[in-house]
Amino acid sequence: DVKVTQSSRYLVKRTGEKVFLECVQDMDHENMFWYRQDPGLGLRLIYFSYDVKMKEKGDIPEGYSVSREKKERFSLILESASTNQTSMYLCASSSRGRAIYGYTFGSGTRLTVV
Amino acid sequence: AQSVTQPDIHITVSEGASLELRCNYSYGATPYLFWYVQSPGQGLQLLLKYFSGDTLVQGIKGFEAEFKRSQSSFNLRKPSVHWSDAAEYFCAVGPGGATNKLIFGTGTLLAVQP
């Protein structure tokens, strides 16, 4: 089975800090995604990447950036963390040629900004 | 525009009772359809998917879903709910294509009463 691993389950950071959320997948998937999940708002797409060094903005990219230097790793960066970025962050990956399989998700990172 | 609607934000059922979670979509062609489940504090796990063929699809944990093109629906069902089914359920529709982006509904939170 594909595994998507998010490096931290829980993080507490201070306002203004630069925060890195790491995601690694082990099945050679081309596509990787970062979502944030908030109560009542469902999953909102922050950024996605369909190849190494390629990235596209999702629905709520403000305040975030991403990096994909290797195919298996997709990092989400909060340049200057703010309290309104307190949320659950979910990483997912998928195969370009196998849309029917949908996404595989990581276990999530619960980020609290104080 | 493509969209997914889950009209029920919160549902409570008794253990052993049957369950139906509703999902309606708006999409120009035959979509890829998915149901995911999220246990508290976890990532999303794929329950089942539909791409083509038999409109009644079976998934894991005893769940099934029926694709009804005329109603643009893909409702999730289970004949007898167990306490461990308490979770949040997300319906998603896929446009496919190279980046395979999915559109998620806002989720239905299921509570199970003893």
Side-chain angles (χ1 to χ4, degrees):
Chain A
D1 283 351
V2 176
K3 285 189 178 177
V4 177
T5 303
Q6 295 184 231
S7 54
S8 304
R9 291 297 304 275
Y10 300 94
L11 276 179
V12 180
K13 297 293 182 181
R14 295 194 180 277
T15 301
E17 276 193 77
K18 190 169 187 177
V19 181
F20 294 85
L21 303 184
E22 305 288 345
C23 176
V24 177
Q25 51 94 4
D26 68 358
M27 280 297 288
D28 204 36
H29 280 177
E30 294 83 5
N31 304 326
M32 296 188 75
F33 308 84
W34 274 106
Y35 287 87
R36 67 175 281 175
Q37 182 181 17
D38 301 286
L41 298 178
L43 277 69
R44 294 182 290 169
L45 182 64
I46 305 171
Y47 269 97
F48 68 99
S49 168
Y50 51 89
D51 205 345
V52 176
K53 297 190 185 294
M54 305 300 288
K55 61 185 179 184
E56 288 196 19
K57 295 179 180 179
D59 300 318
I60 52 163
E62 296 78 19
Y64 303 94
S65 62
V66 291
S67 172
R68 193 160 180 207
E69 297 297 319
K70 294 184 177 181
K71 191 174 186 178
E72 67 271 18
R73 186 180 297 271
F74 192 36
S75 303
L76 179 70
I77 304 157
L78 286 65
E79 297 291 343
S80 177
S82 65
T83 56
N84 63 13
Q85 292 178 309
T86 292
S87 186
M88 169 72 106
Y89 290 87
L90 293 167
C91 176
S93 72
S94 72
S95 171
R96 180 181 300 162
R98 297 184 178 183
I100 186 55
Y101 293 104
Y103 292 1
T104 300
F105 282 86
S107 298
T109 296
R110 172 81 57 189
L111 173 67
T112 302
V113 182
V114 297
Chain B
Q2 295 109 8
S3 66
V4 177
T5 301
Q6 293 181 247
D8 304 305
I9 297 172
H10 189 272
I11 284 181
T12 300
V13 299
S14 298
E15 191 168 16
S18 63
L19 171 69
E20 183 169 24
L21 302 182
R22 297 182 290 166
C23 173
N24 294 98
Y25 65 90
S26 173
Y27 191 75
T30 299
Y32 300 176
L33 292 160
F34 305 85
W35 275 101
Y36 286 85
V37 60
Q38 184 182 33
S39 298
Q42 300 295 318
L44 276 69
Q45 180 185 18
L46 181 65
L47 276 178
L48 48 77
K49 56 186 180 285
Y50 173 79
F51 172 52
S52 65
D54 192 345
T55 57
L56 184 64
V57 293
Q58 303 296 321
I60 62 172
K61 304 185 181 188
F63 284 91
E64 65 179 27
E66 186 171 12
F67 171 60
K68 293 186 177 180
R69 184 190 304 274
S70 62
Q71 298 177 19
S72 296
S73 68
F74 189 57
N75 294 348
L76 182 71
R77 301 194 295 246
K78 187 170 186 179
S80 177
V81 170
H82 188 263
W83 63 267
S84 61
D85 294 323
E88 191 157 21
Y89 293 80
F90 293 90
C91 181
V93 58
T99 56
N100 189 22
K101 284 173 62 181
L102 295 184
I103 300 167
F104 287 86
T106 51
T108 298
L109 185 62
L110 173 66
V112 180
Q113 288 181 335

